[in-house]
Amino acid sequence: MEKRAAWENGMRDKVTWYHADDFGVSLEQSEKILSCYQDGALNSISILPNVSDLGGALELLDRVDKKRVIRRVLHLNFVEGKPLAGANQVPLLVDKEGYFDKSFVRFFIWNYTLFGKQRTKLKKQLCAEIRAQLRAVAIKQDFHITAVDSHQHYHMIPIVFDCLTAVLGEAEFAHLDIRQVRIPVDPVKPVLLVKKPKRIPAVNLVKWLILKFPSRRNVKVLLQKGIEVPVFFGILYTCEMRWDIVKALFPAYKKYANEKGTSLELMFHPGNLTADYELLDQRRGELREFYMSDNRFFEAECLKMLKRQCSGLVR
């Protein structure tokens, strides 16, 4: 009973975003994500803007979430699929067939090696694509977004981050109520407070270290603009947000967020694909593995267990 009360009290202090990335890849996948709202704790989603049926994804979302309980977030995408600005407008970002093909590492290197006209050219193309993706979810199809993050966290790279904040400041998007931008760097303190913390996968630790590098700079900029930065829980255990891990760490992360006086975001990837035709780029085997991983089933189940825990059904 004491443990259940602690969870319920934590829920009342500050908002906790139980968040699913990658909404909209396909309608079948989007339905699976929304089942975690209907039957689970999910209350936040990231919308991929360059999917084949963005209108259908909005119609599905509005049908399930009539009162707009779910926080709606732009999931900036430079990873897969085709650019919305048109491949001819962003040639640095795409391959000869017009698909995004530049890795996070390539962008990261560009940030520290491109100068002068080359840097200006890249920034111009980044801004053009960010504008196009914002228009897709805020003007052409109005998802009522209130936050921004990005596919595989490209927006953390300073050159991308600066383009994002510049575009958000343009008159065309002044009407948007952008309240939060994700800084996907888990604080370490909550993990250390757990008696027997779960092993952190080495690849996730590397991701954390890379993202940590520009995080202080980016947080400073956002806070100066009055944009909230929720405490984040999800990089150290990316694609490993199973019930046993979340159950062990959630109370410590929630306490940490409350002490900071801000909201908490838990990142999940609960929507799995079942066929190649659903992929935005069927040539990319690593993306097929990512979207069809069994871990997505475990993360969906975790979101449903979270709802039962907080309603007292799990003890």
Side-chain angles (χ1 to χ4, degrees), residues 250-261:
F250 174 82
Y253 271 96
K254 187 61 185 175
K255 181 180 179 182
Y256 183 90
N258 287 339
E259 289 172 350
K260 295 292 182 180

Side-chain angles (χ1 to χ4, degrees), residues 1-12 247 250-251 309-310 312 314-315:
M1 290 295 291
E2 290 180 3
K3 289 183 179 180
R4 192 180 79 196
W7 276 70
E8 292 172 345
N9 288 337
M11 285 291 290
R12 285 194 290 266
K247 182 180 181 182
F250 174 82
Q309 171 75 66
C310 295
V314 173
R315 307 195 181 189

